[in-house]
């Protein structure tokens, strides 16, 4: 991995991405992170649901697995540091400042709470319903981005918020049609609202991450992004570990493995694979945001919602009702509307930048001719 060309921070460039990256390296990073995001976004929720479907009952354990793969991030960080040392013997082992560390600690604890809300909701919901509800995160992200980082609402974002809200309401009004076996109506709706709460909380976390970038007072490199994700993953896992200790989940794991429908070996395989694939999701997400932009990450997540729906029907025999079909169509419509609005805004900003550069060139040319 040729990370040496993208790891030299410039403190004079506040919150800016380092652009000293070869086209080949950037293309490789884009493809790698898109694959990681696509695989993690599809397999993570399915494996979490498989844990409960096969007889697992520990919500704290399931939430723990969503970020327990954070040590994997040490691998690219060590490679990055090794490459930096080749060019600079005195290269720093890390770029994170105490200010960013403190922010990531708080964001990590919030992410741990979000993991718990999501895992608790998924224990009582079909994975197809959960995926549709999580798509409402976009509406919450737009709202909190407006309040926190002053991102303006556009007709496209307002349309997306309205469509996603209507989709969630349709699912809520017809919740009795797809309840898993042995799940009461009360537990179903508890899972429904906890999942919405998880979407809302993560919709708050994302603008806070952006605010951290803005207040960083240093260049935002790919290595720094991974360092931030590592710290957030550590404190999210720590939060869930405390919950597991209080709930005595560690003592219950051997017994739960013996009683698991698929057998003890496959029980542990599900746990390990779940931790690894969820980490693929988080690494892929921050990687796509860094190498391209948030829009592409949102598009990839949106594209794979139907894939999760299909796999939920195939592997868990979930009912794909007409209400889910309408909610899915509204979700994809809303996501497409939001994505198109972001695309339009990006194009307008690019045209404005080019116009300013041309104007500056004309002024300089005029002064030289005097």
């Amino acid at each position: 991995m040729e990370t040496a060309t993208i790891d030299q921070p410039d403190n004079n460039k506040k919150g800016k991405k380092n652009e000293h990256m070869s086209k080949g390296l950037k293309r490789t990073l884009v493809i790698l992170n898109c694959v990681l995001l696509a695989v993690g976004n599809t397999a993570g929720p399915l494996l979490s649901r498989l844990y409960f479907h096969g007889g697992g009952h520990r919500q704290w354990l399931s939430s723990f697995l969503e970020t327990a793969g954070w040590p994997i991030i040490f691998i690219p960080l060590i490679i990055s540091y090794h490459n930096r040392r080749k060019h600079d013997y005195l290269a720093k082992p890390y770029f994170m400042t105490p200010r960013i560390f403190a922010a990531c600690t708080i964001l990590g604890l919030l992410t741990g709470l979000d993991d718990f809300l999501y895992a608790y909701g998924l224990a009582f919901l079909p994975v197809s319903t959960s995926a549709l509800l999580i798509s409402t995160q976009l509406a919450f992200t737009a709202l909190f981005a407006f309040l926190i980082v002053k991102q303006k609402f556009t007709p496209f974002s307002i349309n997306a918020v309205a469509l996603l809200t209507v989709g969630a309401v349709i699912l809520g009004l017809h919740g009795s049609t797809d309840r898993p076996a042995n799940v009461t109506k009360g537990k179903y709706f508890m899972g429904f609202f906890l999942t919405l709460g998880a979407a809302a909380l993560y919709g708050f976390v994302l603008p806070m991450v952006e605010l951290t970038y803005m207040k960083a007072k240093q260049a935002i490199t790919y290595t720094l992004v991974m360092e931030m994700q590592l710290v957030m993953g550590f404190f999210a896992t720590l939060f869930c570990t405390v919950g597991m200790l209080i709930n005595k989940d560690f003592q219950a794991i051997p017994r739960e493995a013996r009683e698991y429908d698929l057998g003890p070996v496959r029980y542990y395989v599900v746990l390990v694979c779940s931790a690894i694939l969820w980490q693929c999701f988080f690494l892929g997400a921050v990687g796509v945001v860094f190498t391209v932009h948030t829009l592409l990450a949102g598009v990839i997540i949106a594209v794979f919602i139907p894939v999760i729906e299909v796999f939920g029907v195939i592997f868990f025999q979930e009912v794909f009702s007409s209400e889910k079909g309408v909610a899915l169509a509204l979700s994809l419509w809303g996501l497409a509307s939001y994505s198109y609005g972001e695309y339009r805004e990006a194009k307008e900003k690019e045209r404005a930048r080019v116009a300013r550069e041309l104007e500056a060139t004309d002024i300089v040319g005029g002064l030289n001719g005097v």
Side-chain angles (χ1 to χ4, degrees):
M1 185 181 296
E2 267 182 76
T3 50
T5 56
I6 62 173
D7 291 329
Q8 308 302 327
D10 182 356
N11 291 332
N12 294 323
K13 296 178 181 180
K14 178 182 177 181
K16 292 184 179 180
K17 298 176 185 177
N18 195 316
E19 297 178 353
H20 302 294
M21 186 190 309
S22 68
K23 291 183 178 180
L25 174 59
K26 183 174 182 179
R27 188 180 303 112
T28 301
L29 287 175
V30 169
I31 294 173
L32 174 62
N33 285 296
C34 286
V35 171
L36 287 174
L37 178 56
V39 172
N41 182 57
T42 304
L46 291 170
L47 281 172
S48 293
R49 182 57 200 162
L50 179 60
Y51 165 75
F52 292 112
H53 189 267
H57 302 288
R58 299 283 165 171
Q59 287 89 0
W60 277 113
L61 172 59
S62 180
S63 59
F64 169 88
L65 294 173
E66 291 178 35
T67 51
W70 63 268
I72 296 174
I73 303 177
F74 276 117
I75 297 174
L77 286 178
I78 291 172
I79 295 174
S80 172
Y81 176 60
H82 176 71
N83 285 340
R84 292 199 308 275
R85 284 288 298 269
K86 289 181 179 179
H87 296 81
D88 181 5
Y89 182 74
L90 300 176
K92 296 198 308 181
Y94 59 88
F95 295 131
M96 181 173 289
T97 61
R99 180 190 184 96
I100 297 178
F101 181 85
C104 290
T105 298
I106 297 172
L107 292 173
L109 295 173
L110 289 175
T111 301
L113 175 59
D114 183 74
D115 291 343
F116 176 71
L117 294 177
Y118 174 78
Y120 210 105
L122 189 59
F124 305 124
L125 293 178
V127 68
S128 53
T129 302
S130 176
L132 289 170
L133 291 174
I134 286 297
S135 70
T136 61
Q137 168 198 316
L138 181 60
F140 293 111
T141 300
L143 173 62
F144 287 119
F146 171 75
L147 296 174
I148 296 171
V149 294
K150 310 304 180 185
Q151 180 174 318
K152 295 180 179 180
F153 276 110
T154 66
F156 299 102
S157 61
I158 293 173
N159 183 50
V161 170
L163 290 168
L164 291 167
T165 302
V166 172
V169 170
I170 290 174
L171 287 177
L173 293 176
H174 297 84
S176 61
T177 61
D178 68 341
R179 290 202 311 272
N182 303 319
V183 173
T184 64
K185 194 170 184 178
K187 287 184 176 180
Y188 179 93
F189 280 108
M190 181 172 66
F192 184 95
F193 288 111
L194 285 174
T195 304
L196 274 181
L201 182 55
Y202 203 64
F204 172 76
V205 168
L206 288 178
M208 291 301 295
V209 171
E210 184 176 350
L211 183 64
T212 303
Y213 288 163
M214 293 168 60
K215 302 293 184 179
K217 297 182 178 179
Q218 66 183 97
I220 305 300
T221 66
Y222 190 50
T223 296
L224 179 59
V225 168
M226 287 192 293
E227 290 176 3
M228 293 174 64
Q229 180 58 42
L230 185 144
V231 173
M232 290 170 62
F234 170 78
F235 281 100
T237 306
L238 181 63
F239 178 89
C240 297
T241 301
V242 173
M244 289 182 67
L245 290 171
I246 295 173
N247 202 41
K248 298 182 178 180
D249 281 5
F250 288 106
Q251 296 92 319
I253 289 176
R255 183 181 70 254
E256 193 171 70
R258 290 192 299 270
E259 299 172 355
Y260 197 63
D261 293 347
L262 302 178
V265 174
R266 291 180 180 176
Y267 173 83
Y268 289 112
V269 170
V270 168
L271 298 191
V272 173
C273 290
S274 181
I276 293 173
L277 288 167
W278 271 115
Q279 198 57 48
C280 287
F281 169 79
F282 287 113
L283 265 179
V286 297
V288 169
V289 170
F290 176 81
T291 55
V292 189
H293 44 57
T294 308
L295 172 59
L296 180 59
V299 169
I300 292 174
I301 292 172
V303 164
F304 281 89
I305 289 178
V307 177
I308 298 174
E309 301 282 328
V310 172
F311 283 149
V313 173
I314 294 173
F315 294 126
F316 305 124
Q317 291 77 51
E318 295 180 356
V319 177
F320 191 78
S321 61
S322 58
E323 291 83 8
K324 281 188 184 180
V326 173
L328 175 61
L330 290 174
S331 296
L332 293 176
W333 184 6
L335 289 164
S337 175
Y338 184 85
S339 299
Y340 181 69
E342 289 290 294
Y343 171 78
R344 284 270 303 266
E345 184 178 356
K347 295 294 286 184
E348 289 175 1
K349 288 181 179 178
E350 179 65 17
R351 282 197 294 268
R353 183 187 66 81
V354 172
R356 287 195 301 270
E357 290 180 354
L358 290 174
E359 183 179 353
T361 302
D362 291 341
I363 292 175
V364 172
L367 292 175
N368 290 336
V370 173

